[in-house]
Amino acid sequence: MAVNLEISVFELKKLLDEKKRFLLLDCRTPVEEKIAKIAGSTLVPLNEIPQKMIEFDKGKEIIVYCHHSGRSSFAATFLARAGFKAKFLAGGIDAWAKKIDSSVALY
């Protein structure tokens, strides 16, 4: 049975507006983060997640994003299999910039 780990930019905006508690995890590179980021996110590049996940709270939802959602879908699946409540942002920061916050740079 497949589980849908995807969250839309509109769902994420609602969670942020409601000040819900969750970890917004940016799995891109530090170079990409310098170009654009979603406020309040924590940078943990994809290749560092296996080592850093011991620091994550299993009781708190994790929403992972990257540029378009390739890396974040992989990260969310990995985290979910490790017992975390993880989702990934469909369309990534690119969709966020186009549909929610035009002040976020496109690249």
Side-chain angles (χ1 to χ4, degrees), residues 6-9 65-70 72 88-96 99:
E6 192 175 275
I7 185 171
S8 75
V9 292
Y65 76 91
C66 63
H67 191 199
H68 288 106
S69 65
S72 60
F88 71 93
L89 183 62
I93 196 167
D94 186 73
W96 181 264
K99 298 177 181 177

Side-chain angles (χ1 to χ4, degrees), residues 90-103:
I93 196 167
D94 186 73
W96 181 264
K98 290 176 179 172
K99 298 177 181 177
I100 302 295
D101 186 353
S102 62
S103 72

Side-chain angles (χ1 to χ4, degrees), residues 76-92:
T77 301
F78 175 80
L79 289 166
R81 287 182 178 157
F84 292 92
K85 294 182 268 182
K87 294 188 176 190
F88 71 93
L89 183 62

Side-chain angles (χ1 to χ4, degrees), residues 25-36:
L25 191 65
D26 180 350
C27 71
R28 300 172 303 145
T29 67
V31 171
E32 289 175 291
E33 185 201 32
K34 282 186 172 77
I35 297 167

Side-chain angles (χ1 to χ4, degrees), residues 16-62:
L16 291 169
D17 288 348
E18 293 173 352
K19 301 198 181 336
K20 297 287 184 182
R21 292 190 37 117
F22 61 93
L23 173 60
L24 182 56
L25 191 65
D26 180 350
C27 71
R28 300 172 303 145
T29 67
V31 171
E32 289 175 291
E33 185 201 32
K34 282 186 172 77
I35 297 167
K37 72 179 282 182
I38 299 174
S41 62
T42 300
L43 178 68
V44 179
L46 180 62
N47 65 334
E48 295 178 18
I49 289 175
Q51 296 82 23
K52 299 268 186 170
M53 70 182 191
I54 60 167
E55 301 169 17
F56 303 160
D57 181 352
K58 281 200 175 178
K60 189 186 288 188
E61 185 174 33
I62 301 172

